[in-house]
Amino acid sequence: MSLEQRAAELREQIRHHNYRYHVLDDPLITDAEYDRLFRELQELEAQYPELRTPDSPTQRVGAEPGGDLPKVAHPAPILSLSNSLDIGEVRAWRDRIGRLLTADTELDYVVEPKFDGLSVVLTYQNGVLIQAATRGNGVVGDDVTANVRTINQIPLRIPVQPDGPTPPPLLTVRGEVIFYKEDFKRLNERMVEEGAPPYVNARNTASGTLKQKDARITATRPLSAFIYDVVAADAPISTTQWGILEFMKASGFPVSKEIGLFDDFESMLAYLEEYEARRDELPYEIDGLVIKVNNRLIYNELGIVGKDPRGATAYKFPSQEVTTTLLDVEVNVGRTGVLTPTAVLEPVFISGVTVQKASLHNYDLIAEKDIRIGDRVIVKRSGDVIPYVIGPVLGSRSGDEQIITPPDLCPVCNSPVERVEGEVAYYCTNPACPERVARNIEYFVSRGSMDIVGLGDKIVRLLLERGIIHDEADVFFLKAEDLVDLEGFGDRKISNLLTSIEAAKHRPLYRLIGALGIRGVGNTIAQLLVEHVDSMDELADASQERLETITGLGPHTASAIVQWFAQPHSRELLRKFHLAGVNLTAEKEELASTAFAGLTFVLTGTLPTMSRDEAKSIIEKHGGKVTGSVSKKTDYVVAGESAGSKLTKAQQLNIPVLDEAGLLNLIEQELS
Ligand code: IVH
């Protein structure tokens, strides 16, 4: 192949992967592989400038923006960063810029985390957030203002504190939207609770969430952000990057605490190396560190090459990606019947952990990425999240690889598999599938559901095997005789378990409803339902139309509820619950007073003595309502320590703000 052909091939590949990554948010190759292709082209073009075409990916910033969100033009190009893959390359970067500066120029450096999220560009007019956009192609991005407004850390007005610096009349800043590891984990727990498949990759989920067309969905996902740069300002802010970060911090923007200022290049390098070991300790994902020349005048003077400012470089951590062989695909059956493909891998070591299984997402993605059994595949581990297969290494194919197809029959019970319109998942259609039954019972008795202590997954399976239980309701009929010859079950353990079962019979109705495993109905929705019905029987007989009148309950969930209760199996469960004396009536909490009747409250920040739940229940006990976001309809905002954007919004809308004592006073006042 001629060099010319190779350059054309690289351009084509990079363009494609660029589109997959930036527009579809669905990369086929790893960042490291992408970087390799990009570098090869850059080097080729540097050596043979005649190969450089005006449409080469090295000549422009990013890719075409996608989606239906309105487009907005950025006030200045949203640039990227050159990569340095090791300390040697950081030295080479320093040498390169050194040659462009006069010999006696002394530099100091700011080091920041390289957040593994997606770029967001925020514009403030006279201190008020007026626009938020994605990076898009660097020149034009998608308008995501409504979504960004749902991110608590992002101030809707600056300065957040009255003694903060006055912002320039027009200020555009840039940062990264991310999920904290803990928030991502909790989001996934909620997905599983509601019977939906969990998300695999935090970065892609953050991206999908930010580009949601319905900001109400975004609001339910705990996104976070860090701000790190000024894109444009019509008044000077600071002549140093450190000064800019200080300004941001003082204005109330989220700025990482993990930033460092170095006046000595060697100690900066030592910090880079030392930091790498701490990467996993951070509460969010980073894929490297960013080194920036602190003096912004020099930084600007150094200029831009392609889409990268010369004055900064990204020190990329070695990727937590490896290649291994895909030995097989295991199909797991979930309690809702959802079939999830899991990769069985040749064991491989990734940053300290042996990985043998990995997520394969779903069958659509397997087909799209053309992953086959026998393939060499790229596997990525990131933080606390389960490892997942990114894609195959097409170059290593022998031709003997087997195509993976979704099963026609459930691997456990051989019932036909169906695909629900509009969903990617395939489902086992048999509600009596032994695996579904087992998982449903496991879920039913687990913490957060019926919370039966001493009835772990293993025991559930054992009791099923022995025919002692057949469904969720049978648990309530367990007797000491059923348990005596189970291994490890002494008198004490048996009596504890029976006590726990007895206690479970008297839990509030919403817990029972939430434990049934109806698609989309976790404890939160169950609580909502209980506000509208007096008993389980009333819920069982509720029509789709009636359920749809409940604000906050979508038509899909309404229909899932109706369908669930229509099954003979479900009716049988209810009959047995009655028989076992399980609580099936909604206990309407007695109102302590109607002091807050008709009033809507929003809680924000940490209160000195009450938890948020306690504050909520106090307000509700007095007839008030608590909602999640501040609007003109909000009557009071109750703010504690580190209250965020909700407080700002309240101030903007002139809504009275109370502290904990103020809330209690208000009750007293209303009562007297
Ligand atoms: S500075 C001109 N600082 O990394 C300034 N970028 O690989 C260029 N990123 O597109 C960006 N953390 O989305 C900068 N502390 C940080 C960053 C950061 C993450 C992202 C950013 C950029 C990408 C480049």
Side-chain angles (χ1 to χ4, degrees):
M1 191 190 302
S2 71
L3 290 177
E4 203 176 335
Q5 280 169 330
R6 178 63 185 153
E9 190 180 45
L10 285 168
R11 282 199 300 269
E12 174 72 38
Q13 286 177 348
I14 294 168
R15 217 172 285 133
H16 175 64
H17 291 305
N18 214 35
Y19 172 74
R20 297 287 315 198
Y21 187 89
H22 288 287
V23 182
L24 301 184
D25 266 314
D26 185 18
L28 291 179
I29 59 172
T30 68
D31 291 2
E33 284 177 282
Y34 179 86
D35 289 345
R36 240 173 277 136
L37 294 174
F38 201 86
R39 278 178 165 225
E40 187 183 339
L41 182 60
Q42 265 178 332
E43 276 161 23
L44 209 57
E45 288 177 349
Q47 233 179 328
Y48 305 98
E50 68 276 15
L51 294 180
R52 187 174 290 149
T53 60
D55 69 348
S56 169
T58 61
Q59 301 302 300
R60 65 177 186 138
V61 193
E64 298 300 320
D68 298 321
L69 296 162
K71 301 280 179 274
V72 289
H74 298 305
I78 302 306
L79 301 172
S80 188
L81 290 169
S82 67
N83 286 336
S84 297
L85 301 183
D86 55 37
I87 295 293
E89 294 198 6
V90 181
R91 285 188 194 280
W93 166 76
R94 175 67 184 83
D95 292 344
R96 266 197 321 273
I97 60 175
R99 284 195 290 274
L100 298 169
L101 300 168
T102 50
D104 56 350
T105 314
E106 301 234 347
L107 291 182
D108 50 1
Y109 313 87
V110 173
V111 179
E112 303 166 13
K114 186 169 177 339
F115 308 103
D116 196 8
L118 75 155
S119 257
V120 64
V121 180
L122 310 174
T123 303
Y124 290 79
Q125 190 174 41
N126 298 323
V128 177
L129 176 68
I130 54 160
Q131 190 174 75
T134 63
R135 177 169 183 271
N137 63 8
V139 177
V140 174
D142 290 331
D143 185 337
V144 289
T145 313
N147 292 333
V148 164
R149 282 187 203 282
T150 71
I151 303 176
N152 286 322
Q153 283 94 337
I154 293 184
L156 297 181
R157 179 194 281 271
I158 50 165
V160 171
Q161 314 268 24
D163 56 350
T166 307
L170 206 59
L171 171 72
T172 302
V173 300
R174 171 173 182 189
E176 207 81 356
V177 169
I178 56 148
F179 275 116
Y180 273 81
K181 288 177 190 169
E182 194 52 40
D183 289 336
F184 188 60
K185 220 162 92 185
R186 245 179 293 139
L187 170 64
N188 269 341
E189 279 164 11
R190 208 175 74 212
M191 297 299 291
V192 171
E193 183 188 304
E194 289 172 6
Y199 297 106
V200 180
N201 173 270
R203 191 204 162 276
N204 291 351
T205 310
S207 171
T209 303
L210 194 67
K211 293 183 193 167
Q212 267 290 336
K213 278 167 218 134
D214 185 347
R216 287 168 305 181
I217 297 177
T218 313
T220 67
R221 313 238 180 107
L223 285 174
S224 301
F226 284 109
I227 305 300
Y228 50 70
D229 203 8
V230 168
V231 173
D234 54 8
I237 289 179
S238 170
T239 53
T240 64
Q241 172 67 10
W242 192 258
I244 288 174
L245 292 173
E246 301 252 84
F247 165 84
M248 309 269 206
K249 224 186 304 175
S251 302
F253 286 107
V255 173
S256 169
K257 287 196 280 286
E258 306 285 325
I259 49 175
L261 177 61
F262 297 87
D263 55 11
D264 174 61
F265 185 67
E266 292 302 323
S267 27
M268 191 271 289
L269 293 184
Y271 176 77
L272 298 183
E273 286 188 300
E274 168 209 326
Y275 202 94
E276 205 173 308
R278 288 179 42 211
R279 152 187 204 170
D280 277 352
E281 289 167 23
L282 287 186
Y284 45 85
E285 298 279 338
I286 65 172
D287 56 349
L289 293 165
V290 184
I291 306 145
K292 298 176 181 174
V293 167
N294 187 32
N295 185 324
R296 291 290 282 205
L297 304 173
I298 299 179
Y299 178 97
N300 291 338
E301 227 170 75
L302 283 167
I304 296 161
V305 50
K307 55 191 174 60
D308 311 329
R310 283 200 188 81
T313 189
Y315 173 70
K316 294 279 280 262
F317 292 152
S319 81
Q320 293 186 306
E321 295 165 8
V322 295
T323 53
T324 184
T325 305
L326 176 62
L327 300 176
D328 201 1
V329 176
E330 226 176 57
V331 186
N332 293 309
V333 184
R335 79 183 152 79
T336 54
V338 65
L339 303 179
T340 37
T342 301
V344 180
L345 305 168
E346 193 170 276
V348 62
F349 213 59
I350 316 181
S351 42
V353 183
T354 306
V355 173
Q356 307 197 41
K357 296 254 173 92
S359 168
L360 274 168
H361 312 258
N362 56 58
Y363 286 99
D364 277 4
L365 253 112
I366 294 178
E368 207 175 304
K369 296 186 175 183
D370 189 21
I371 301 171
R372 304 182 187 186
I373 294 175
D375 264 338
R376 293 293 291 174
V377 287
I378 302 157
V379 179
K380 178 168 178 148
R381 188 177 91 88
S382 52
D384 294 331
V385 191
I386 38 164
Y388 62 99
V389 175
I390 293 181
V393 183
L394 294 174
S396 321
R397 285 239 163 112
S398 69
D400 295 336
E401 293 77 12
Q402 283 164 264
I403 292 180
I404 301 163
T405 48
D408 298 322
L409 300 176
C410 169
V412 176
C413 71
N414 278 325
S415 304
V417 162
E418 77 169 6
R419 185 167 196 177
V420 178
E421 189 66 27
E423 281 189 48
V424 285
Y426 288 82
Y427 288 90
C428 161
T429 48
N430 174 15
C433 169
E435 184 63 21
R436 289 184 60 178
V437 169
R439 296 230 180 198
N440 267 309
I441 301 176
E442 285 166 12
Y443 179 74
F444 185 76
V445 302
S446 67
R447 266 181 67 193
S449 298
M450 283 286 96
D451 199 5
I452 299 177
V453 186
L455 207 54
D457 294 358
K458 261 203 203 135
I459 310 293
V460 167
R461 301 229 170 204
L462 209 62
L463 294 172
L464 273 168
E465 251 168 54
R466 299 200 178 177
I468 298 171
I469 59 171
H470 304 92
D471 61 28
E472 291 88 327
D474 287 344
V475 169
F476 293 118
F477 294 94
L478 280 175
K479 294 181 294 296
E481 304 92 273
D482 300 326
L483 304 163
V484 272
D485 47 315
L486 294 185
E487 210 186 299
F489 270 74
D491 289 348
R492 224 335 229 306
K493 199 161 173 194
I494 292 177
S495 110
N496 286 345
L497 176 55
L498 293 178
T499 311
S500 186
I501 291 173
E502 197 49 40
K505 290 184 188 169
H506 306 291
R507 297 212 197 288
L509 179 60
Y510 82 87
R511 292 280 294 272
L512 181 67
I513 296 171
L516 294 174
I518 304 171
R519 246 185 248 177
V521 184
N523 280 340
T524 317
I525 293 292
Q527 266 167 308
L528 179 70
L529 290 170
V530 168
E531 283 170 24
H532 292 85
V533 298
D534 291 330
S535 68
M536 183 71 107
D537 291 335
E538 192 183 330
L539 180 63
D541 293 335
S543 65
Q544 167 102 14
E545 293 73 41
R546 162 139 194 238
L547 291 173
E548 279 187 26
T549 62
I550 300 178
T551 324
L553 193 75
H556 288 296
T557 310
S559 138
I561 295 169
V562 173
Q563 279 179 31
W564 192 89
F565 282 107
Q567 293 168 36
H569 166 80
S570 311
R571 293 293 172 162
E572 176 61 9
L573 278 184
L574 292 203
R575 194 186 65 82
K576 288 189 186 172
F577 287 151
H578 273 292
L579 213 59
V582 178
N583 171 42
L584 296 167
T585 46
E587 45 202 270
K588 299 281 177 205
E589 260 195 65
E590 290 273 312
L591 286 188
S593 83
T594 50
F596 292 160
L599 297 181
T600 303
F601 291 74
V602 171
L603 303 170
T604 177
T606 319
L607 299 177
T609 71
M610 284 182 221
S611 75
R612 213 174 262 232
D613 277 346
E614 280 165 341
K616 182 166 185 260
S617 94
I618 288 179
I619 292 169
E620 287 171 349
K621 270 215 184 99
H622 292 275
K625 214 170 84 183
V626 176
T627 63
S629 61
V630 179
S631 74
K632 276 182 281 182
K633 291 191 190 135
T634 311
D635 295 293
Y636 291 100
V637 168
V638 182
E641 211 175 315
S642 8
S645 57
K646 289 181 194 169
L647 179 57
T648 323
K649 181 92 180 265
Q651 287 159 345
Q652 260 168 264
L653 295 176
N654 271 327
I655 293 166
V657 176
L658 303 169
D659 57 8
E660 184 180 306
L663 175 69
L664 297 173
N665 276 339
L666 195 64
I667 300 176
E668 304 257 303
Q669 267 176 36
E670 298 276 343
L671 288 182
S672 61

